[in-house]
Amino acid sequence: VYGRIGYLGNLKSKNPEMRIALCGCMMQEPHVIEKIKKSYRFVDIVFGTHNIYMLAELIWRKVSGEKRVFEILDGTDKIVEDLPSEHKYRFKAGVNIMYGCNNFCSYCVVPYTRGRERSRSPQTILAEAQQLLKDGYKEVTLLGQNVNSYLWQADGKTTTFAQLMEQVALLSPQLRVRFATSHPKDISNELLQVIARYPNVCHYIHLPVQAGS
């Protein structure tokens, strides 16, 4: 990342109107922010993982005269819905079902930079998947730091990840369904039964093993 910033700095020296913005997990680390402030003074906008939805506002603040814009939220319990999205492929797309993680694995910075687990409502997830199907997409991947621990509780009702997966699979037998990533400790027999029951749920389980244990 630092190498890329340096490269962009060289481009900006030739094009002073260029704007450079940094976002993501690294930007949630205080020592990174200090380094950007001191060593990369040509960076215009810095924001973290909790306020990506503010990008247009942050750009406006910059073009309106603010010298450098640093907007880092320590955490959030909110999920901003109905943001516009653009997909890389025309036949498959990812659908975020939750954000954050409650597992503090020794090798992983995600719980500190992404915050605690927050699940989207099944209704919004199903509506997004239905729209993708309507737009001609053939495959959706349900996304989260640990999708197996997805849990939605409202109006006295509870929706588990297995139940959500079944609801997505039932949208259409022509819609392939995948999920990533999943922590092995949270995989349930109910989920395995859903995978076995529906032909359009891909026989594929993504288990990250970067810990080497």
Side-chain angles (χ1 to χ4, degrees), residues 58-182:
L58 302 179
I59 292 174
W60 175 252
R61 282 168 53 182
K62 173 60 186 175
V63 300
S64 297
E66 198 166 331
K67 189 172 182 181
R68 302 180 78 190
V69 180
F70 286 80
E71 190 74 39
I72 311 296
L73 302 182
D74 291 335
T76 182
D77 58 356
K78 297 179 176 61
I79 293 177
V80 179
E81 297 287 3
D82 300 323
L83 292 175
S85 61
E86 184 174 311
H87 300 287
K88 183 177 181 180
Y89 303 101
R90 283 294 305 142
F91 65 94
K92 65 178 182 179
V95 175
N96 282 302
I97 67 169
M98 63 182 300
Y99 301 91
C101 186
N102 291 347
N103 298 301
F104 286 81
C105 301
S106 59
Y107 59 87
C108 186
V109 75
V110 164
Y112 304 98
T113 59
R114 295 279 182 173
R116 299 295 77 77
E117 291 175 352
R118 308 178 305 286
S119 297
R120 295 178 66 197
S121 74
Q123 292 80 12
T124 56
I125 294 167
L126 289 168
E128 186 173 340
Q130 183 72 61
Q131 185 61 49
L132 289 169
L133 182 63
K134 183 179 178 181
D135 292 341
Y137 286 83
K138 305 299 183 185
E139 179 176 308
V140 296
T141 301
L142 305 181
L143 299 173
Q145 271 69 48
N146 178 21
V147 292
N148 294 338
S149 61
Y150 171 91
L151 188 68
W152 178 262
Q153 295 175 307
D155 301 324
K157 296 180 180 179
T158 298
T159 302
T160 65
F161 179 54
Q163 292 166 339
L164 175 69
M165 177 79 88
E166 183 171 38
Q167 292 173 33
V168 175
L170 286 169
L171 289 175
S172 170
Q174 277 73 50
L175 182 67
R176 294 192 301 272
V177 185
R178 297 181 185 271
F179 59 94
T181 58
S182 49

Side-chain angles (χ1 to χ4, degrees), residues 15 24 28 49 62-63 93 101 112 120 122 147 164 175 181 185 189 193 197 201 203 205 208:
N15 179 15
Q28 293 290 148
T49 58
K62 173 60 186 175
V63 300
C101 186
Y112 304 98
R120 295 178 66 197
V147 292
L164 175 69
L175 182 67
T181 58
K185 76 177 179 62
N189 287 333
Q193 290 162 5
R197 188 179 305 131
V201 176
H203 290 182
I205 296 177

